[in-house]
Amino acid sequence: MIIGSQKVVAVDNDFGEIAPLLQALGKRGIPCLWLDGSMDNLPEKPFSGVRILFLDIELETAGSSDATMASAVFARVERIIGKSTSPYFIVFWTKHEKVIDLVLGNLKSVGIEPIDHLNFEKIESLASDDAIEDLLKKIDSKLTDIGAFSYLLEWENHLEKTVSDFSDNFLSDIVSTGNLAEWSAKVVSLLGNLSLSYTGERSLSNSDEDLRNAFLLLSDSFSDSVQNSIKLKTFSYSMPLTNTPLTLEQVAKMNSSLFFDFYPNKKVEFGNVYIMCPPDIHLREALCKNIFPDGDIPAETKVCGIIITPPCDMAHKKYLHNSKHCFRVLYGLIIPILDLQQVENSLKPAWLEKKKQALITELQSKGISKNFIDTVNSFFQKVTPKDSLCKIEPFWYDQKQQPCILIFHFGSLSSVWWDDTMIPPFAFAIKDHLAFDIQSKIANHANRLGNAMISAK
């Protein structure tokens, strides 16, 4: 497969006019994809990750009305960008503000408006090397002013450089001597050994699973390389970060993007979550009773299970099996939420709320400062009544189009025996970082000694 990179795209029906810009970007080490603007030559599928779009206004529409030109430009951008809300920036080749406004209006109407734009007269801006240098400086300055966007570009550029450096280092001992067969044999041998190292097997399966396992091992190593390189790199800091409170929906969607995968492997994999339909009656009753002590169970609460068999056992097939396969599953509840605080309160027994109110009343009667009382109240809000529960913060569940929380009960850890016909459809997967945290908490819960200290009444 030929390398695909379309972060910078130039749409212009006159290559001769745009060529000086492409050459200048090339000297800066910035690849730029040129499209002639013809609908027949646009990508069959929208590009992913376009960040800067140089856009000629007169695309086979010279002499047409403003609305006609704007409509033609809009159609091209929509084909290139698609329906993605991913941020991008447009450089218009025109001084015609009315056409620009019409294009931006059309893009806004379908939810793909750029975060910002600049406009220049093309012939004038690309007339000489000095003019092009001045143009690029103005674009750089504008992008720097949009601090948030420049941070995104810096993050993506750093990732791309890191993966290139990683691959170069990984293949550094395999030098090309002009003998393609020899070079290819060394590379596939290296990948084959990585695959066996990942699975612990003695022989390869002679399928794409071998390549997948090699790539998984490389990905584990690459993840560490990215983190180490970020620790060592000095980033430009043009806009202070803030911690403005987020809405529940924003928090849920952010958590989903960071810690959840809604296109999980259909095979049984560590971290995969399924909804029990119908649930075991006794299991549901026990979970609800232990998670909601006062019986205030939110509507549409479902029983779910997460595959907690260690990934190394999966890769090496160390789990118990005969005609069926034995997997470890932790059960819990997936709970839709509209009012997070209401759900949080329903997780706590009534006596805890009474104890909090009694303590706050006593502190108020003694003239204790409001700041200290607020701290006490905050402490009670965060109290988890049982160490046998593992609560996952709000995430956005697309199937319900609303935020949900997951609460697992460590006492529900069980083994299930499945053959291939019994594997349930997985609703989503919890990514490794969070799934390993759940696994670690299970281990701590199983190994805890406990204590018999008398608590104050």
Side-chain angles (χ1 to χ4, degrees):
M1 178 182 290
I2 299 175
I3 296 173
S5 178
Q6 55 278 329
K7 291 182 67 173
V8 183
V9 178
V11 183
D12 198 307
N13 60 351
D14 190 331
F15 181 78
E17 291 182 355
I18 200 67
L21 174 66
L22 304 182
Q23 293 168 355
L25 291 173
K27 289 180 180 179
R28 286 189 168 204
I30 303 172
C32 179
L33 179 66
W34 169 70
L35 298 171
D36 67 7
S38 168
M39 294 296 287
D40 292 336
N41 295 329
L42 293 180
E44 294 180 1
K45 295 181 179 180
F47 290 142
S48 174
V50 174
R51 295 293 175 244
I52 300 176
L53 186 58
F54 291 93
L55 198 54
D56 189 14
I57 288 295
E58 296 183 359
L59 296 171
E60 303 175 349
T61 56
S64 301
S65 67
D66 293 345
T68 299
M69 286 193 290
S71 178
V73 171
F74 162 71
R76 270 71 174 176
V77 176
E78 190 175 34
R79 275 282 295 274
I80 294 168
I81 300 297
K83 300 299 182 182
S84 172
T85 56
S86 186
Y88 70 102
F89 183 92
I90 292 181
V91 177
F92 288 102
W93 292 128
T94 184
K95 289 290 186 179
H96 203 323
E97 297 285 352
K98 185 176 180 180
V99 176
I100 293 174
D101 290 341
L102 288 171
V103 173
L104 294 176
N106 289 338
L107 294 172
K108 185 175 182 179
S109 69
V110 296
I112 56 171
E113 187 179 16
I115 59 167
D116 208 343
H117 69 279
L118 285 173
N119 59 293
F120 301 95
E121 188 63 49
K122 180 170 58 172
I123 302 301
E124 174 186 312
S125 301
L126 304 180
S128 65
D129 290 344
D130 289 341
I132 294 174
E133 185 64 25
D134 183 58
L135 168 73
L136 295 179
K137 285 181 179 179
K138 289 177 180 178
I139 295 174
D140 280 341
S141 177
K142 181 68 172 180
L143 296 179
T144 300
D145 290 342
I146 312 173
F149 189 59
S150 66
Y151 291 162
L152 171 64
L153 295 179
E154 190 161 16
W155 159 249
E156 291 182 338
N157 289 337
H158 181 72
L159 281 185
E160 290 183 4
K161 183 179 185 306
T162 303
V163 73
S164 296
D165 291 345
F166 180 86
S167 295
D168 289 345
N169 183 60
F170 165 63
L171 296 171
S172 60
D173 289 335
I174 304 178
V175 181
S176 174
T177 59
N179 187 327
L180 175 60
E182 179 184 353
W183 183 86
S184 295
K186 290 180 179 179
V187 172
V188 296
S189 176
L190 178 57
L191 292 173
N193 279 278
L194 289 177
S195 179
L196 293 178
S197 177
Y198 184 79
T199 62
E201 299 289 345
R202 294 185 177 181
S203 60
L204 297 167
S205 66
N206 196 29
S207 71
D208 67 337
E209 282 298 313
D210 294 334
L211 190 59
R212 180 177 291 105
N213 291 328
F215 286 170
L216 285 170
L217 192 150
L218 287 174
S219 297
D220 288 343
S221 179
F222 174 66
S223 177
D224 290 339
S225 296
V226 171
Q227 294 196 29
N228 288 334
S229 65
I230 289 174
K231 293 173 184 177
L232 296 173
K233 181 176 173 59
T234 300
F235 294 97
S236 59
Y237 191 69
S238 58
M239 174 181 286
L241 304 185
T242 65
N243 60 343
T244 305
L246 303 175
T247 66
L248 175 59
E249 182 173 329
Q250 288 175 322
V251 169
K253 289 183 175 179
M254 182 69 70
N255 283 337
S256 287
S257 66
L258 293 174
F259 301 107
F260 289 77
D261 178 5
F262 288 92
Y263 301 94
N265 194 327
K266 294 181 180 180
K267 299 179 181 179
V268 180
E269 295 281 358
F270 175 68
N272 278 9
V273 177
Y274 65 97
I275 310 298
M276 293 189 72
C277 295
D280 179 271
I281 295 175
H282 300 291
L283 176 61
R284 176 180 170 80
E285 181 182 331
L287 288 171
C288 290
K289 181 178 180 180
N290 282 271
I291 292 175
F292 295 100
D294 296 325
D296 187 14
I297 305 167
E300 297 298 316
T301 295
K302 303 290 185 182
V303 177
C304 63
I306 178 174
I307 306 298
I308 214 69
T309 302
C312 62
D313 285 9
M314 293 287 196
H316 300 174
K317 293 186 178 179
K318 292 180 180 178
Y319 52 81
L320 195 62
H321 60 280
N322 44 36
S323 60
K324 293 184 177 181
H325 305 276
C326 182
F327 301 106
R328 277 173 270 178
V329 176
L330 182 69
Y331 293 103
L333 299 176
I334 179 169
I335 307 162
I337 53 176
L338 296 175
D339 185 333
L340 181 59
Q341 192 57 58
Q342 182 180 2
V343 174
E344 295 277 8
N345 290 338
S346 68
L347 298 174
K348 302 169 186 175
W351 65 262
L352 190 64
E353 180 65 21
K354 291 179 181 178
K355 187 169 186 176
K356 181 192 78 172
Q357 292 299 337
L359 179 58
I360 289 177
T361 299
E362 181 181 354
L363 294 174
Q364 289 173 336
S365 68
K366 293 181 178 180
I368 302 299
S369 71
K370 182 178 182 301
N371 286 342
F372 183 78
I373 292 175
D374 288 343
T375 301
V376 171
N377 185 57
S378 177
F379 168 78
F380 274 93
Q381 294 292 350
K382 297 176 181 178
V383 167
T384 300
K386 294 183 178 180
D387 60 7
S388 58
L389 301 182
C390 176
K391 182 170 74 71
I392 307 300
E393 296 298 332
F395 68 98
W396 188 261
Y397 189 17
D398 281 343
Q399 185 175 329
K400 292 186 175 295
Q401 284 296 299
Q402 69 179 112
C404 296
I405 58 173
L406 280 166
I407 301 180
F408 295 105
H409 195 294
F410 294 139
S412 71
L413 183 62
S414 308
S415 295
V416 297
W417 286 90
W418 290 335
D419 61 28
D420 290 344
T421 65
M422 300 168 67
I423 296 174
F426 294 106
F428 53 85
I430 293 177
K431 293 182 180 179
D432 282 359
H433 188 80
L434 182 54
F436 278 126
D437 183 60
I438 296 172
Q439 190 182 63
S440 175
K441 288 176 179 177
I442 293 173
N444 288 337
H445 179 74
N447 294 327
R448 77 197 190 289
L449 295 175
N451 68 72
M453 294 181 69
I454 301 173
S455 61
K457 303 296 185 182

